[in-house]
Amino acid sequence: MIKQRAFLKWAGGKYSLIENIKQVLPQGKRLVEPFVGAGSVFLNTDYDEYLLNDVNQDLINLYKLVQQNPDDYIKESQKLFSSEFNDKDRYYDIRAKFNASDDIFERSLFFLYMNRHGYNGLCRYNLKGGYNVPFGRYKKPYFPEKELWAFAEKAQKAKFTCQCYRETFKESMVGDVIYCDPPYAPLSPTASFTSYSGHGFKLNDQQDLATLAEQGAERSIPVIISNHDLELTRELYKKASLEILQVKRTISQKAGKRLKVNELLALYQA
């Protein structure tokens, strides 16, 4: 199976770890992802069905549009990838329009534009819900047409939801496999994660997720969780089988600062 890239740039995306994750994922009828992000695991697996959730409403609205109306979406979004739009002032003008807009189609066009033209592929909102990623200054941002078409085709097997991860766990059933890629626990006490949804993912969420995974395994629903390899996460996932992966962090724009750190794949299975 040829690896398929997501059409969005995404901090913490799993494209580079697909082979490792697929080795751990059990067989099942449906893959459930409570934190779908850019969708690399979805795009590179072969389940009959998918339940794909994220708390970011803009992300899910975009995915539904690409699923249901790819022709119009791709045609219109491509217009924003000309040289005239690769400009700092135009970027901030579109960002302001995005933050003021209630139109799903318009917001979805601008979301992809900002994802590809904004700094380091970040997706970040302030506490008032305003998108606040600065201009990225790329020479020629890539328009991911073939990746959009691939997503649109694969999305015919998917149901998209925007809700709390706890609700997605409630929807799971025997025959499902659940893969979780939550906001990671910080590497140090001083590190922080600025949420891309406007809502933080706190320690109690990390604990709740581990408990839900344990309960899933008890219901014969296997659950896999990705996270940093820390004393905290090893304690949280003590009832799981752990696989250690060494990966490069790509949140830093400077290549020299993209250090290798260990990650965990925690498998909960009856």
Side-chain angles (χ1 to χ4, degrees):
M1 185 178 181
I2 299 173
K3 283 175 70 175
Q4 177 61 51
R5 285 193 179 274
F7 67 83
L8 293 172
K9 299 167 70 174
W10 209 254
K14 291 296 178 284
Y15 180 80
S16 64
L17 297 177
I18 286 300
E19 292 85 356
N20 303 88
I21 294 169
K22 287 175 69 172
Q23 287 177 3
V24 175
L25 281 171
Q27 292 183 330
K29 186 174 187 297
R30 182 174 70 164
L31 182 67
V32 177
E33 292 197 60
F35 312 87
V36 68
S40 288
V41 175
F42 154 62
L43 289 166
N44 291 285
T45 51
D46 191 24
Y47 290 85
D48 294 339
E49 300 173 34
Y50 293 85
L51 173 58
L52 306 176
N53 178 74
D54 205 279
V55 74
N56 186 322
Q57 187 70 67
D58 289 314
L59 184 68
I60 296 302
N61 286 342
L62 167 56
Y63 287 168
K64 288 181 177 179
L65 267 176
V66 176
Q67 177 192 47
Q68 298 164 12
N69 191 11
D71 297 87
D72 287 346
Y73 179 80
I74 292 171
K75 177 184 175 183
E76 293 303 314
S77 60
Q78 190 165 17
K79 295 176 182 178
L80 297 173
F81 281 74
S82 63
S83 58
E84 66 180 294
F85 286 98
N86 189 23
D87 173 82
K88 182 178 179 180
D89 291 336
R90 295 298 292 271
Y91 175 87
Y92 287 117
D93 179 54
I94 286 177
R95 193 180 76 174
K97 288 179 179 177
F98 172 86
N99 286 330
S101 178
D102 293 323
D103 183 270
I104 289 174
F105 192 85
E106 183 177 55
R107 285 180 69 92
S108 295
L109 294 177
F110 293 161
F111 190 90
L112 176 60
Y113 165 83
M114 293 187 300
N115 175 264
R116 288 283 171 176
H117 291 76
Y119 177 78
N120 220 21
L122 293 176
C123 179
R124 189 183 64 200
Y125 300 77
N126 60 30
L127 292 176
K128 293 182 179 179
Y131 196 92
N132 65 357
V133 176
F135 183 57
R137 300 181 185 278
Y138 296 105
K139 189 172 183 179
K140 188 178 180 181
Y142 172 69
F143 178 65
E145 182 174 2
K146 67 177 183 178
E147 291 85 355
L148 281 161
W149 282 116
F151 188 99
E153 181 179 356
K154 186 71 179 283
Q156 301 311 307
K157 300 169 69 173
K159 174 187 175 183
F160 295 99
T161 59
C162 181
Q163 60 192 10
C164 175
Y165 64 93
R166 297 178 181 90
E167 297 302 313
T168 305
F169 267 85
K170 288 179 183 177
E171 292 188 28
S172 63
M173 61 189 76
V174 174
D176 289 344
V177 175
I178 303 177
Y179 172 68
C180 298
D181 184 24
Y184 278 16
L187 285 169
S188 69
T190 56
S192 63
F193 176 82
T194 304
S195 173
Y196 73 94
S197 66
H199 305 281
F201 199 81
K202 304 290 194 289
L203 175 58
N204 69 299
D205 291 300
Q206 302 281 1
Q207 293 169 328
D208 285 352
L209 183 58
T211 300
L212 288 169
E214 293 170 13
Q215 294 170 348
E218 291 169 0
R219 295 164 53 208
S220 298
I221 303 171
V223 182
I224 298 92
I225 305 177
S226 293
N227 214 320
H228 284 138
D229 182 7
L230 307 168
E231 284 187 33
L232 168 66
T233 51
R234 284 182 177 244
E235 176 62 25
L236 288 175
Y237 307 150
K238 60 188 176 185
K239 294 186 179 180
S241 300
L242 301 180
E243 180 170 337
I244 302 169
L245 310 176
Q246 199 175 67
V247 300
K248 282 187 178 180
R249 297 182 68 207
T250 56
I251 198 72
S252 173
Q253 196 174 46
K254 294 182 179 178
K257 292 187 177 180
R258 297 181 184 182
L259 304 176
K260 287 191 175 182
V261 295
N262 286 345
E263 287 195 10
L264 293 177
L265 278 177
L267 170 61
Y268 293 83
Q269 197 166 26

